[in-house]
Amino acid sequence: MKENFNVTGMTCSACSARVEKSVSKLSGIQAVTVNLLTGSMQVDYDENQLTEREIIDTVVKAGYGASPKTAAKKTAQRGAETADSSNVMEEQLKEMKFRLWVSFVFLIPLMYVTMGHMVGLPLPSFLSGMENAVSFAFTQFLLCLPVIFVNRKYFIKGYQTLFHLSPNMDSLIAIGSSASLVYGVFVIYRMSSGLGHGNMELVHRYYHDLYFESAAMILALITVGKYLETRSKGKTSEAIQKLMDLAPKTAVVERDGREMEIPVEEVRVGDVLVVRPGTSVPVDGFIVEGSTSIDEAAITGESIPVHKQEGDTVIAATMNKSGFIRFKATRVGEDTTFSQIIRLVEEASASKAPIAKIADKISGIFVPVVIGISLLTAGVWIACGASFEFALSCAICVLVISCPCALGLATPVAIMVGTGKGAESGILLKSGEALETAHNVQCVVMDKTGTITQGRPVVTDVESNIEIRKFLSIVAGLEKKSEHPLAEAILEFAKEEKIHPKEISEFVSLPGKGIEGKVDGCVYYGGNRRLMEEKAIDLSRHEEELNRMADEGKTPMIFAAEQEVLGIIAVADVVKPTSMEAVRRLQDMGIEVVMLTGDNRRTAEAIRRQLAIDKVIAEVLPQDKEREIAALQEQGKTVAMIGDGINDAPALARADVGMAIGAGTDVAIESADIVLMKNDLMDAVTAIRLSKAVIRNIKQNLFWAFFYNILGIPVAAGVYYTAFGLKLSPMFGAAAMSLSSVFVVSNALRLRKFKASLPEEKGEKPSVEVELKKQEPMLISMENNQNNKEDNTMITMKIEGMACGHCKAAVEKALNGLDGVKAEVNLEAKTASVETEGDVDKETLKKAVEDAGYEVVGIE
C-alpha cells in the first residue's frame, strides 16, 4: 500500500534523513521517500504488518510531526477549514517577516553600542570608559534577549533533535548562538569581579571579548536567509498551483427537471451537466447534446481549440469557447483526468532522483561531523597556545558556516520546477527517477501507427484515365456502400473535393478482394490486384505506378470498368507533420532512432526512407515488442520507448523510459514513466531536453553545496590563519550559510525560463515544428499517358535551400502545377527528377522553383 504523509518540523536535509531512517527501520516498510521541500513523505508498506498510526508515532518519536494526506483531503471535501499549501507558505512568510522586524529593531542599536565607538560614533556617558564596563556589557545582553526570544524555535528544535541524537541545522545554530551568549554572560561576571576587586587589568582584558552581537547577528542573518529561501521555494510550485487553480469549483447539473449549481465535489457519475460558453467543464464525460470548440490547453498544452460534437468526450478543467453543450458525467472527483494529472505531478515533485542519494547519505552524518570538527577546532587552537576567545570564535564559526540546507535543497527544488514546467507543456514526468534516466537515453524506439503516423488512412494519390471528377464520383458511389476501413478515407476526400457520389445498384462486397457495382447500367470494380486478375483486367501498363506506390508505403486501390482500368487511388497512414522534425532533433542530440512496427517491411522501409530513421524493425507482433526492447538493452543501450500506451504497454514497461503519447484521457498512464498529453513526437524531444536541463541544474546545485562546505569549513576553522591571516567572524559565517541556501534555490528557479520549443537554427527554413501544412494528394490524369511516354523528357534539377519535408512538398507542388510536368524530389540528394510531356522548357521549370522560394543551381 502506498500512502502520503505531511511531515512538519523539518528544517534541513539532516531532518529528512532522520525521518527517512526512522521509518525505514519499521517492519513491513518497502520504500520511504521524504521530501524536505514539500514537507511530505511517501511510504510504500505492507498494511498487514504495519498501520498508519505506527508510522505517524515513529515520526513523532523522531522529533517531528506527521499526518496522513488523505485525511486532510477528506476533511477538505466535507468543507472544513484546512489551509492549502499556499496559505501555509504565506503564514510562514508572515511569521518570518515579524521575526525579521523584531530582530533588526534590536540588532541595529546592539551593533551601534558594540561597534559604534570603533568608527568614531559617540556613546552615552554611562556606557563609556572602563568604569562603566558592566553597564556596557549588560546593555548588549538586554538588547540581545528579544532577538533570541523571537527566534527561539531554533533553540527548541535544535536541542530537541540533539537530545534525540539526530542533530540538524538548527542544532548548529543553537549551539553556536548559545556558546556566544553563555560566554558573554561569563564575561559580565568576570568584569564585575574585576571592578569589585579593583583589578582593572582583568576588566580591560574582557572588555572587547563580548560575543552578544554574534549571537544576535547569527540568528538575524539565518532568519533573513530562511525568509528568502521560503519565498523562492514558494515559486517552485507555481506551475502546480496554476494547474490547481484551473480546476472548476462548481458545476451546473440537471436534477429533477431543473438546473442547479452545486459544488463540483457533489457531482455523481451519470449526472447530466450543462456547460455554457466561457465556462469550464467541471468533470469528465461525453456530450449528449450540442457542439462547441473546447480549449484543452490545461490538459494538452495545445492552444488551438478542438471541435467537439455529440458523442465526443470532454475533460474536466478544459474551457468551453463557443457553443452550449449538455454532457453525461463518467469520471468525477479524484477519478477525473485532471485530478490524476495533478496527483502525478505532485508525486513526481515529491519523488527523488537517484542522483540525490549521495546527498542524502552525506546529510545523515553531516551535522554530527560538523559538531566534531567544531570541538576539534577549539581543542587544537587551545593546545597550540591560542586564547580561549580565539578558539571559541573559530569553533562557533565552524558551526554556523556549515550548510546542510544547500545539500538538502539541491535536488528537490530542481525536480519540482522541472515537473511543473513539463506539466505546463502537456508532459507529465511521473518520477524523479524517470527524469534522471531520460537524460541518458541513447536509443529511442517508436511505434509507427499513431506515433509517427496519424493513425488513420488518408488519400495521397489519385491517378485517372478519365476526367478526374467523373472518376471520383464513381469511386465515391462504390465506396459509400463499403464497410472497408479505407473506404472512409476515400469518402472523406470526395467530400473535401465536393464530389457527389453516383447512385450504385447491384452492389456486392468481395471480402479480401474488393467491391463491385453498377452505375448507369455499367459494371465497375474496385479493389486489389487479385480482383483485377480474377476479372481478366490487364494491369501491365500500370505496373510501374503500382510498384512506386507500394515502395512509398501506400496501399493502391485499382478501379476499373468491365475491360479497362479507369484509375488508381493510393491511401496511406501519413506521417504527422512534426515527425520528421522530431526524428532530426533526436539525431542531433546523438540519439539513435528505431521504428518498431507490425507493418510489412516494404511499408516500414518507405517510412524509414522518408524520415531518415536509423533503423526499422518490421513485422513484429505486439507481444514481441517487449522482446525487441530487451534485445536493444542487452547491447548496453539506455532505451526509451514511445507508444500509444495500450498495445505497447509491455514494451513501455520494459524500456528504461516509457513514454505514452496522446494519452490525454486514456490513463493507461500506469505502464509509462512519462506521459505526452499531445499526440506530437516533438514533446518527446522536449521531455528529453527538459530532463537534461534539470539534471544539469541538479549537478550545479550539488557541486555548489559540496564546494561551499569543503571551502567554507576550513576557512572558518582558521586553517589558513597562520599562513595568510585569514579568519572569519561568526557573523560572516552565518551570512555565508544563508546565502548558500538562497543560491541553490535561485539557481533551480532558472529552470522556469525553459522553453518547450527550440529556436530556429540560423539560416534554416521554417521547420515542420512551426509550419504545419495539410498534405495535398497528387491529382494526376493518366489519359494517353502511356502512349506518349516515348515523347517524354527526363530532367534532373539541382536545388538548394530545401531543409525539411515541407520544402520537398513545396517544390513538388510548384513543379507538378505546370502542365505536362511530373516531378519527384529527393530531399537528401537535393535534386528533383522531372518528367516533361511536350514542349516544356527549362527556364519555365527554373522559374517555378524560384517562385516557390528555392534556388536552382543546375539543370541536366
Side-chain angles (χ1 to χ4, degrees):
M1 181 179 178
K2 191 177 280 187
E3 191 81 67
N4 289 311
F5 296 83
N6 292 311
V7 180
T8 57
M10 296 190 299
T11 56
C12 72
S13 57
C15 300
S16 56
R18 165 73 174 169
V19 173
E20 201 165 292
K21 190 175 179 181
S22 300
V23 175
S24 62
K25 286 179 180 177
L26 294 171
S27 60
I29 291 290
Q30 288 154 5
V32 187
T33 305
V34 178
N35 190 297
L36 171 66
L37 180 66
T38 56
S40 63
M41 175 175 68
Q42 196 175 80
V43 185
D44 196 353
Y45 66 98
D46 184 351
E47 54 190 322
N48 295 320
Q49 297 184 47
L50 197 61
T51 65
E52 196 177 81
R53 174 47 52 191
E54 286 176 299
I55 294 170
I56 292 171
D57 289 344
T58 301
V59 175
V60 171
K61 192 176 177 182
Y64 305 90
S67 62
K69 278 194 174 181
T70 49
K73 204 172 281 181
K74 287 171 186 171
T75 308
Q77 287 174 350
R78 286 195 297 266
E81 293 182 6
T82 53
D84 58 28
S85 59
S86 61
N87 288 337
V88 170
M89 196 72 75
E90 284 171 17
E91 284 298 317
Q92 285 181 354
L93 286 171
K94 189 176 176 182
E95 188 258 346
M96 282 184 185
K97 196 178 283 186
F98 172 74
R99 281 164 46 201
L100 276 178
W101 274 108
V102 173
S103 296
F104 280 96
V105 161
F106 289 94
L107 181 63
I108 291 168
L110 173 59
M111 296 304 293
Y112 182 90
V113 171
T114 307
M115 299 180 178
H117 62 283
M118 297 180 187
V119 292
L121 295 174
L123 274 177
S125 57
F126 66 89
L127 296 178
S128 301
M130 290 296 155
E131 64 278 9
N132 292 312
V134 172
S135 300
F136 175 72
F138 196 68
T139 301
Q140 291 181 43
F141 175 63
L142 292 177
L143 288 170
C144 181
L145 287 178
V147 181
I148 289 170
F149 178 77
V150 83
N151 291 295
R152 62 191 178 280
K153 64 178 292 182
Y154 293 122
F155 296 89
I156 296 168
K157 181 59 69 178
Y159 285 117
Q160 188 180 55
T161 55
L162 185 63
F163 294 145
H164 278 99
L165 300 179
S166 56
N168 63 1
M169 182 202 74
D170 291 341
S171 304
L172 299 179
I173 297 165
I175 295 168
S177 295
S178 298
S180 299
L181 188 68
V182 170
Y183 181 72
V185 172
F186 166 75
V187 167
I188 291 175
Y189 278 102
R190 291 295 288 154
M191 287 195 296
S192 298
S193 173
L195 285 171
H197 292 87
N199 186 351
M200 297 307 290
E201 184 186 345
L202 182 65
V203 175
H204 192 272
R205 192 200 322 163
Y206 284 106
Y207 186 75
H208 294 295
D209 278 341
L210 294 161
Y211 280 104
F212 292 121
E213 82 285 354
S214 290
M217 184 65 87
I218 288 167
L219 295 170
L221 288 176
I222 295 294
T223 305
V224 169
K226 281 287 178 186
Y227 175 75
L228 294 174
E229 182 188 311
T230 305
R231 273 188 62 183
S232 300
K233 286 196 308 195
K235 292 177 183 176
T236 63
S237 57
E238 269 184 9
I240 298 173
Q241 197 58 48
K242 281 180 188 173
L243 276 177
M244 294 179 79
D245 290 344
L246 293 171
K249 306 295 184 289
T250 60
V252 177
V253 65
E254 290 184 353
R255 286 182 184 167
D256 302 324
R258 62 190 182 89
E259 292 181 10
M260 59 174 70
E261 189 171 354
I262 61 172
V264 74
E265 293 86 5
E266 294 178 15
V267 177
R268 299 189 295 264
V269 173
D271 277 346
V272 175
L273 295 97
V274 172
V275 182
R276 292 180 169 80
T279 58
S280 294
V281 177
V283 295
D284 291 3
F286 63 91
I287 297 173
V288 294
E289 181 189 327
S291 63
T292 186
S293 292
I294 299 283
D295 181 354
E296 296 185 337
I299 304 297
T300 65
E302 182 58 65
S303 58
I304 300 170
V306 180
H307 179 72
K308 299 278 186 179
Q309 58 192 24
E310 201 170 307
D312 288 343
T313 57
V314 289
I315 306 170
T318 55
M319 178 65 73
N320 182 16
K321 301 295 284 186
S322 53
F324 171 91
I325 56 169
R326 294 169 67 244
F327 75 95
K328 183 173 280 190
T330 55
R331 288 177 178 171
V332 300
E334 294 300 304
D335 295 329
T336 66
T337 302
F338 185 73
S339 294
Q340 293 191 31
I341 288 171
I342 295 292
R343 177 177 58 79
L344 283 173
V345 175
E346 285 181 332
E347 284 181 3
S349 298
S351 68
K352 284 185 179 177
I355 196 172
K357 288 178 182 174
I358 186 169
D360 289 346
K361 285 179 182 177
I362 292 171
S363 297
I365 59 168
F366 184 84
V367 175
V369 167
V370 167
I371 293 171
I373 292 172
S374 175
L375 293 171
L376 182 65
T377 298
V380 168
W381 277 116
I382 290 170
C384 291
S387 66
F388 177 76
E389 295 77 15
F390 182 90
L392 179 65
S393 174
C394 289
I396 292 170
C397 200
V398 167
L399 290 172
V400 297
I401 201 171
S402 307
C403 190
C405 276
L407 279 172
L409 294 169
T411 304
V413 285
I415 287 177
M416 177 168 269
V417 178
T419 50
K421 287 302 294 183
E424 281 180 9
S425 304
I427 300 166
L428 303 183
L429 299 145
K430 290 175 68 177
S431 69
E433 188 174 353
L435 190 67
E436 181 172 344
T437 308
H439 97 286
N440 281 325
V441 166
Q442 298 163 304
C443 176
V444 171
V445 179
M446 303 175 182
D447 178 44
K448 181 182 82 72
T449 306
T451 301
I452 294 174
T453 63
Q454 291 182 354
R456 58 182 181 84
V458 296
V459 172
T460 58
D461 300 72
V462 180
E463 302 190 357
S464 169
N465 285 326
I466 61 174
E467 197 274 320
I468 290 279
R469 296 189 69 81
K470 181 182 177 183
F471 171 64
L472 288 173
S473 67
I474 294 169
V475 170
L478 285 168
E479 296 293 356
K480 193 174 180 182
K481 295 193 175 184
S482 171
E483 294 180 357
H484 195 278
L486 300 183
E488 188 178 335
I490 293 173
L491 290 171
E492 184 68 29
F493 175 68
K495 185 179 177 182
E496 288 176 6
E497 295 293 320
K498 297 182 171 57
I499 302 292
H500 296 290
K502 291 274 189 183
E503 284 300 320
I504 302 295
S505 61
E506 298 180 30
F507 176 83
V508 179
S509 177
L510 306 168
K513 291 179 280 187
I515 52 177
E516 69 173 75
K518 277 189 178 181
V519 177
D520 300 329
C522 296
V523 178
Y524 292 96
Y525 306 103
N528 55 23
R529 187 188 292 268
R530 185 174 157 199
L531 176 62
M532 297 303 130
E533 288 170 355
E534 243 182 48
K535 301 299 179 183
I537 294 169
D538 182 24
L539 296 176
S540 59
R541 295 166 62 194
H542 307 287
E543 287 293 344
E544 188 181 328
E545 286 303 314
L546 290 170
N547 289 333
R548 176 186 67 80
M549 290 174 180
D551 286 340
E552 291 174 358
K554 300 169 183 175
T555 303
M557 292 190 288
I558 309 158
F559 293 88
E562 293 183 51
Q563 299 296 324
E564 62 174 349
V565 172
L566 297 179
I568 302 169
I569 292 181
V571 175
D573 181 7
V574 297
V575 170
K576 292 176 189 172
T578 56
S579 292
M580 180 179 287
E581 182 76 355
V583 169
R584 185 177 72 81
R585 297 280 193 191
L586 289 169
Q587 290 169 337
D588 288 347
M589 287 192 276
I591 296 170
E592 180 188 10
V593 180
V594 177
M595 183 172 74
L596 192 63
T597 178
D599 271 3
N600 64 73
R601 186 162 296 281
R602 196 173 190 181
T603 301
E605 274 296 324
I607 299 289
R608 188 196 68 76
R609 286 195 304 272
Q610 186 181 345
L611 300 184
I613 290 172
D614 299 310
K615 181 182 177 183
V616 65
I617 303 171
E619 299 173 0
V620 179
L621 295 172
Q623 59 266 34
D624 294 332
K625 288 183 178 180
E626 184 254 0
R627 190 179 64 218
E628 295 293 343
I629 297 290
L632 288 168
Q633 289 172 323
E634 283 169 11
Q635 296 172 27
K637 296 174 181 175
T638 303
V639 180
M641 169 71 190
I642 308 172
D644 60 18
I646 303 168
N647 62 335
D648 298 313
L652 288 168
R654 162 65 69 176
D656 297 291
V657 181
M659 298 187 190
I661 190 168
T665 53
D666 171 26
V667 191
I669 284 169
E670 295 305 321
S671 56
D673 303 298
I674 298 173
V675 182
L676 312 176
M677 301 301 288
K678 284 183 284 185
N679 214 354
D680 189 342
L681 267 180
M682 280 304 296
D683 282 352
V685 178
T686 302
I688 292 172
R689 285 180 52 244
L690 178 62
S691 168
K692 288 179 182 293
V694 170
I695 298 303
R696 185 167 57 247
N697 192 280
I698 288 173
K699 286 178 179 176
Q700 290 168 354
N701 287 345
L702 286 173
F703 170 78
W704 168 255
F706 285 123
F707 173 77
Y708 164 81
N709 283 296
I710 289 167
L711 183 69
I713 291 174
V715 172
V719 170
Y720 306 112
Y721 180 71
T722 51
F724 306 105
L726 188 61
K727 180 188 174 296
L728 288 180
S729 79
M731 288 184 289
F732 286 111
M737 179 186 185
S738 300
L739 290 173
S740 176
S741 298
V742 174
F743 175 87
V744 165
V745 177
S746 301
N747 185 48
L749 288 176
R750 292 190 306 113
L751 287 169
R752 295 197 301 168
K753 296 178 182 177
F754 176 86
K755 301 292 182 189
S757 58
L758 282 167
E760 283 182 31
E761 292 172 22
K762 197 172 181 181
E764 236 182 55
K765 288 281 178 186
S767 69
V768 288
E769 181 184 350
V770 292
E771 187 182 326
L772 307 178
K773 294 182 179 175
K774 183 180 174 184
Q775 181 169 339
E776 297 184 8
M778 293 162 52
L779 296 173
I780 301 172
S781 175
M782 298 193 304
E783 197 171 17
N784 301 320
N785 190 40
Q786 302 296 329
N787 300 329
N788 294 333
K789 274 215 170 175
E790 61 274 10
D791 300 326
N792 293 356
T793 306
M794 288 300 297
I795 295 170
T796 301
M797 304 177 71
K798 187 74 176 172
I799 301 168
E800 287 295 329
M802 297 188 295
C804 66
H806 283 296
C807 298
K808 174 187 173 183
V811 173
E812 284 181 345
K813 187 177 178 182
L815 290 170
N816 289 322
L818 300 172
D819 290 336
V821 174
K822 182 179 177 184
E824 190 172 338
V825 172
N826 185 321
L827 186 60
E828 291 179 12
K830 309 290 186 189
T831 60
S833 299
V834 184
E835 185 180 343
T836 64
E837 297 175 19
D839 197 17
V840 181
D841 61 27
K842 293 179 180 179
E843 283 302 315
T844 304
L845 297 172
K846 183 178 179 182
K847 185 175 185 305
V849 174
E850 288 177 346
D851 286 348
Y854 303 90
E855 182 185 357
V856 178
V857 294
I859 301 180
E860 300 171 2

